[in-house]
């Protein structure tokens, strides 16, 4: 007797991240794939070649009513920005008895998911948030390197997106919500106020050369000081490949910081349009780096550096790995325990990198580097 296929609903299934996840899951015979978005026409057009079903779904409408018709086993929520959302979709998933995971990168959203823990346990469903580069990949990198340290004290890390890559409106809006805005970060053992896209610095990448970075607000800044109690400094940054674009955003961040300009998120579409004008000057290579420092078993200062270089515009596949891995496990009957949690301890680094092997993506390591 053939096992019944699991019905997986991908919200935003034809978007930048949702489309990558949809393609990765479409060939799994254990999955009945439903691709949803605000445009029924776009959903059906994208779903048809994949042998999936395309439907209209609006997360800002009556989510409970929509789910009662679809009755999914698992919901994958990719519709950002999560900085401006509450837990409406997750609560509706719990109410419908559906398991849930999302690609949220919003600090408050991910760090506060335990507010749904009791509800999820009562309903017997798993609710997982942050199934993306942060905090899933970043935690996986740190966990894999912890055996090299007797004490992990400092982590500086970040993402530099390729100029010639798919840049969704939601992803851009998420970044712009905190450009010039204050948030808390751990620095030299103290919690200090920093500002989005400031803390200007450059990083020299293998193959990519020098790229500029600025501070970004991510869930890790709330989750990791508890997870890695020896940390004294934790800073996450992001940057544009084109230095003139990065410097322009950095300059405007000062206008926001001094309250001469409101949040840039209101100007997402025109700013994204300006950024795309620079595409002919850039390339399709993205970078991810994690610089870890602390003490080795002898008590000496030591640093390890980890990079991921993505070519051929494949960078946007990296945040999609946790959702793809967890969805395939779910379809195979491997479901995380009921409850609500951030996506930590669910996908290790070896598994993460194995999923990236078919793509033009290379992990690189340097270490130990002694002071």
């Amino acid at each position: 007797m053939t096992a019944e296929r699991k019905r997986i609903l991908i919200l935003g299934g034809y978007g930048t991240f949702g489309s990558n996840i949809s393609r990765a899951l479409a060939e799994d015979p254990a999955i009945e794939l439903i691709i949803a978005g605000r445009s029924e026409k776009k959903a059906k057009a994208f779903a048809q070649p994949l042998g999936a079903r395309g439907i209209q779904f609006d997360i800002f409408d009556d989510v409970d009513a929509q789910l009662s018709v679809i009755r999914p086993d698992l919901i994958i929520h990719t519709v950002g920005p999560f900085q401006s959302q509450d837990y409406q979709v997750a609560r509706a998933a719990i109410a419908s008895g559906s398991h849930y995971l999302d690609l949220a990168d919003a600090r408050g959203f991910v760090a506060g998911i335990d507010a749904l823990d009791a509800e999820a346990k009562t309903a017997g469903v798993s609710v997982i948030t942050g199934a993306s580069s942060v905090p899933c990949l970043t935690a996986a990198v740190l966990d894999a390197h912890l055996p090299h340290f007797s004490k992990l004290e400092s982590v500086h890390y970040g993402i530099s997106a390729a100029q010639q890559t798919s840049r969704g409106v939601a992803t851009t809006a998420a970044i712009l919500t905190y450009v010039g805005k204050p948030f808390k970060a751990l620095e030299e053992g103290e919690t200090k106020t920093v500002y989005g896209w400031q803390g200007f610095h450059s990083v020299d990448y293998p193959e990519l050369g020098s790229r500029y970075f600025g501070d970004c607000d991510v869930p890790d800044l709330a989750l990791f000081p508890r997870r890695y109690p020896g940390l004294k400094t934790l800073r996450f940054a992001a940057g544009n490949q084109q230095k003139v674009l990065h410097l322009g955003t950095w300059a405007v961040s000062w206008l926001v910081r001094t309250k001469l300009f409101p949040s840039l998120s209101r100007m997402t579409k025109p700013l994204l349009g300006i950024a795309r004008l620079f595409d002919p000057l850039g390339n399709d290579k993205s970078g991810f780096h994690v610089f870890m420092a602390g003490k080795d078993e002898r008590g000496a200062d030591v640093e390890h550096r980890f990079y991921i270089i993505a070519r051929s515009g494949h960078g946007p596949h990296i945040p999609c790995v946790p959702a793809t891995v967890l969805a395939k496990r779910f379809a195979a009957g491997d479901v995380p325990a009921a409850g609500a949690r951030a996506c930590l301890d669910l996908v290790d680094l070896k598994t993460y990198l194995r999923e990236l092997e078919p793509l033009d993506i290379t992990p690189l390591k340097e270490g130990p580097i002694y002071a």
Side-chain angles (χ1 to χ4, degrees):
M1 181 182 231
T2 304
E4 184 178 353
R5 293 195 300 166
K6 298 297 182 181
R7 186 177 295 123
I8 296 181
L9 170 68
I10 304 182
L11 304 180
Y14 54 81
T16 300
F17 297 137
S19 61
N20 290 332
I21 297 169
S22 296
R23 294 187 188 98
L25 299 181
E27 296 182 359
D28 191 322
I31 295 174
E32 177 188 342
L33 190 62
I34 304 174
I35 294 168
R38 299 183 76 173
S39 168
E40 183 178 19
K41 181 179 179 181
K42 290 181 180 179
K44 288 185 174 180
F46 181 79
Q48 193 273 330
L50 298 180
R53 175 184 169 198
I55 65 169
Q56 192 275 339
F57 195 108
D58 188 347
I59 66 167
F60 301 106
D61 201 349
D62 189 338
V63 178
D64 294 278
Q66 294 174 90
L67 291 182
S68 69
V69 175
I70 304 166
R71 300 174 61 84
D73 297 299
L74 171 67
I75 298 166
I76 302 177
H77 182 8
T78 76
V79 184
F82 288 88
Q83 283 79 358
S84 59
Q85 293 184 40
D86 57 20
Y87 297 126
Q88 177 188 8
V89 177
R91 288 187 188 279
I94 294 171
S96 70
S98 305
H99 299 283
Y100 165 97
L101 65 87
D102 65 46
L103 274 66
D105 61 353
R107 179 175 182 165
F109 189 101
V110 176
I113 197 65
D114 56 357
L116 303 185
D117 189 54
E119 296 176 45
K121 286 178 178 176
T122 299
V125 299
S126 181
V127 172
I128 300 168
T129 186
S132 189
S133 301
V134 289
C136 183
L137 172 58
T138 48
V141 172
L142 296 185
D143 291 346
H145 286 81
L146 279 180
H148 300 298
F149 295 93
S150 63
K151 187 177 183 182
L152 178 63
E153 297 178 321
S154 172
V155 178
H156 289 266
Y157 56 129
I159 297 172
S160 176
Q163 183 64 34
Q164 295 178 7
T165 191
S166 54
R167 292 187 296 275
V169 173
T171 302
T172 304
I175 294 171
L176 294 177
T177 58
Y178 51 74
V179 169
K181 298 291 187 178
F183 56 90
K184 300 295 184 181
L186 186 63
E187 185 175 340
E188 298 179 353
E190 297 181 8
T191 300
K192 297 185 178 180
T193 299
V194 297
Y195 292 82
W197 222 255
Q198 299 192 359
F200 179 87
H201 62 283
S202 64
V203 172
D204 290 322
Y205 274 90
E207 186 176 331
L208 305 184
S210 175
R211 294 203 174 179
Y212 290 164
F213 286 85
D215 287 324
C216 288
D217 194 14
V218 293
D220 307 24
L221 301 182
L223 299 172
F224 286 6
R226 296 193 302 271
R227 183 176 177 85
Y228 309 104
L231 279 177
K232 295 180 180 178
T233 297
L234 180 68
R235 300 291 286 273
F236 180 85
N240 295 315
Q241 180 201 340
Q242 283 297 302
K243 293 181 177 179
V244 64
L245 283 177
H246 187 95
L247 289 170
T249 308
W250 171 80
V252 176
S253 76
W254 284 98
L255 298 179
V256 177
R257 176 174 175 174
T258 55
K259 303 189 186 320
L260 294 176
F261 208 86
S263 171
L264 296 182
S265 60
R266 302 178 183 179
M267 302 177 62
T268 298
K269 289 185 177 180
L271 290 175
L272 186 56
I274 292 172
R276 285 172 174 156
L277 295 176
F278 289 81
D279 285 359
L281 303 177
N283 59 41
D284 58 5
K285 297 180 180 180
S286 302
F288 168 79
H289 70 276
V290 184
F291 297 166
M292 299 154 278
K295 305 293 184 183
D296 67 8
E297 69 280 357
R298 298 177 297 143
D301 292 335
V302 63
E303 181 180 358
H304 284 259
R305 296 179 180 178
F306 177 86
Y307 304 89
I308 295 178
I309 307 299
R311 311 170 195 86
S312 304
H314 288 175
H317 289 269
I318 297 174
C320 302
V321 166
T324 300
V325 169
L326 294 174
K328 288 179 178 179
R329 287 179 186 169
F330 173 84
D334 182 6
V335 181
R341 64 185 69 83
C343 192
L344 301 168
D345 304 312
L346 295 175
V347 182
D348 61 27
L349 184 60
K350 183 178 180 180
T351 301
Y352 211 114
L353 297 180
R354 186 168 58 243
E355 286 293 313
L356 298 175
E357 286 177 357
L359 302 169
D360 194 3
I361 294 175
T362 305
L364 302 168
K365 292 179 64 175
E366 292 180 4
I369 302 168
Y370 290 90

